Amino acid sequence: MVSAELAPLAKTGGLADAVAGLSAALAAKDHDVRVLIPDYTAPPSGRPGAAAIEGGASVSPAESTPVPVYLIASPAIGSGGAIYLGDERDAARFWAFSRAAVAAAAALGLTPDIVHCHDWHAALVPALAASRPPLASAGTVLTLHNIGFQGAFPRSVLPDDAAAFLASLDDEATGSRDWVNFLETGIRRASAVTTVSPTYAREIATPELGMGLDAVLRARGDDFVGILNGVDYRLWSPESDPFITPRFRRGDADGKRRVKRAVMTELGLADDAPLIGAVSRLFEQKGLDLLVDALPTLLERTRARFAVLGSGNPDLEAALSRAAKTWPERIAFRRGYDEGLAHRIIAGSDFLVVPSRYEPCGLTQLYALRYGTVPIVRKTGGLADTVTHYDPASGRGTGCVFEHADVTGLIWGVTTALEWYESPADWERLCRNAEGLDFSWQRQCEPYEALYRRVIERRRHRSPSA
Ligand code: ADP
């Protein structure tokens, strides 16, 4: 696995959880999995005991991780802890990481059957590996966790060696004359390409949601597939969650109520009303601006309280802070990144709202389900694949699914869900349905195993002498 993020060592979002969960599940099935990630905190002189690789880079094993992890340090990646700088400097940083990761794999004597690369940060690895024995004989898989992040840069910002390498690839694969696109290069070069839900796979193969890469994806035909992310239930279930007190058994409404009370006290809210949580990066994609705009109506029409944790867009952060100041008894907003509070909000809330404009898979709704926290989600991508709209007549369904990414759609979703809350029989049924689902990585890693096998078989077929 080659990734910019890996929970818990380096995490900003779902990528970190997905790579960690998939790796651990594969390892538990006796696959020999190694994960290579950048060393964002290495001192400029390198870590003591690190093995030098070319270009001033070095590699050192991380300590006490469930799956072996190699930290790739390089002066070009920089240190200080930032995972992304969010500007053109990231081109040189992740180029350096990808190059060093390939060199490190060779130096470590790794001879994988499959090199599985994640997102644009590692998307040049298939091309780099192709010219680098012993990696050259490995199949490559590229997983797109979010096609909104492509690593598209003007050629002029690339270091010379990166510019030369990309120019040496066939011209189609290297973007336009003036621009390069790391993700596009990977999509063209990997043996197979995946994304993190079947619906998102269909969506990004269209011009509406493909963000310019739909044609390249369609050209991959059957070699582009959607495989749903899984959940590591050791971290995300009421029985074993390391961040909640008390832990409780699935279906134990009293236990859940105690966690709800605790988190509401922590946030300064009274616990005599339904609680709607949101844990999210605060960017346009996630649609939390819709929640801000819907709040006046929702506060007037319902008795719900809101607990929001997130950071991102400063305007959105400010709007949420203002809302919390205006209605302190109804809304709590915590700005920042807080793993523990994320668990407590997801575990303790009655609902979790995920109003995304697009959503490759979405993990928080999967986590919520396990705690009997009913997801209110927009019908898009992985949200549409993992939550089914509750139907009081049949008693089937696991959450509330609204169609339109606008304020009206969200208000409809929240008020509909709250009606179920007020009907004890429906509520009981809905919570049990939600808790009963199984999105464990043990299951969700099987389609990856099948894909790996297909890629390996095909390569054997093509080069019978290898
Ligand atoms: P994305 O990867 O697009 O951010 P996902 O739903 O796939 O969205 O994954 C989000 C992950 O990041 C979840 O594990 C969620 O709990 C976590 N997360 C998001 N925002 C925060 C935050 N402010 N504090 C702690 N965890 C957060």
Side-chain angles (χ1 to χ4, degrees), residues 225-292:
V225 294
I227 302 175
L228 203 62
N229 276 335
V231 178
D232 184 342
Y233 285 126
R234 286 167 306 178
L235 296 172
W236 293 99
S237 51
E239 298 85 356
S240 54
D241 189 316
F243 295 99
I244 62 168
T245 34
R247 293 188 185 140
F248 62 96
R249 254 208 231 120
R250 260 191 295 164
D252 170 9
D254 280 337
K256 171 147 178 130
R257 213 165 293 131
R258 282 205 288 277
V259 175
K260 174 181 173 181
R261 201 170 302 144
V263 71
M264 291 186 87
T265 304
E266 177 179 354
L267 294 171
L269 297 171
D271 66 350
D272 55 354
L275 179 64
I276 302 179
V279 176
S280 182
R281 294 182 297 114
L282 298 176
F283 292 102
E284 158 117 21
Q285 177 205 338
K286 298 293 181 178
L288 269 296
D289 54 307
L290 301 174
L291 180 64
V292 170

Side-chain angles (χ1 to χ4, degrees), residues 208-408:
E208 290 73 42
L209 287 168
M211 301 205 179
L213 295 181
D214 49 290
V216 188
L217 287 170
R218 285 196 303 275
R220 294 302 318 251
D222 294 343
D223 287 337
F224 170 52
V225 294
I227 302 175
L228 203 62
N229 276 335
V231 178
D232 184 342
Y233 285 126
R234 286 167 306 178
L235 296 172
W236 293 99
S237 51
E239 298 85 356
S240 54
D241 189 316
F243 295 99
I244 62 168
T245 34
R247 293 188 185 140
F248 62 96
R249 254 208 231 120
R250 260 191 295 164
D252 170 9
D254 280 337
K256 171 147 178 130
R257 213 165 293 131
R258 282 205 288 277
V259 175
K260 174 181 173 181
R261 201 170 302 144
V263 71
M264 291 186 87
T265 304
E266 177 179 354
L267 294 171
L269 297 171
D271 66 350
D272 55 354
L275 179 64
I276 302 179
V279 176
S280 182
R281 294 182 297 114
L282 298 176
F283 292 102
E284 158 117 21
Q285 177 205 338
K286 298 293 181 178
L288 269 296
D289 54 307
L290 301 174
L291 180 64
V292 170
D293 293 342
L295 277 174
T297 308
L298 290 174
L299 293 179
E300 194 189 297
R301 281 205 216 153
T302 77
R303 60 190 188 97
R305 299 181 199 275
F306 294 84
V308 182
L309 168 66
S311 66
N313 180 319
D315 292 338
L316 191 49
E317 290 178 354
L320 284 160
S321 296
R322 267 197 308 277
K325 240 187 222 137
T326 311
W327 298 286
E329 67 295 341
R330 302 286 301 275
I331 302 170
F333 171 54
R334 291 292 179 276
R335 186 171 69 91
Y337 186 91
D338 184 337
E339 189 76 32
L341 184 56
H343 281 251
R344 292 191 289 279
I345 289 176
I346 290 171
S349 297
D350 299 297
F351 302 92
L352 190 84
V353 64
V354 191
S356 305
R357 291 191 166 83
Y358 74 90
E359 192 58 74
C361 176
L363 291 175
T364 55
Q365 86 282 9
L366 296 180
Y367 302 153
L369 287 164
R370 191 67 164 192
Y371 300 85
T373 301
V374 171
I376 302 171
V377 304
R378 159 113 207 289
K379 188 174 185 178
T380 184
L383 300 173
D385 287 338
T386 56
V387 182
T388 50
H389 192 70
Y390 179 69
D391 172 19
S394 68
R396 295 226 180 101
T398 56
C400 183
V401 184
F402 62 94
E403 195 90 27
H404 299 288
D406 55 31
V407 174
T408 316

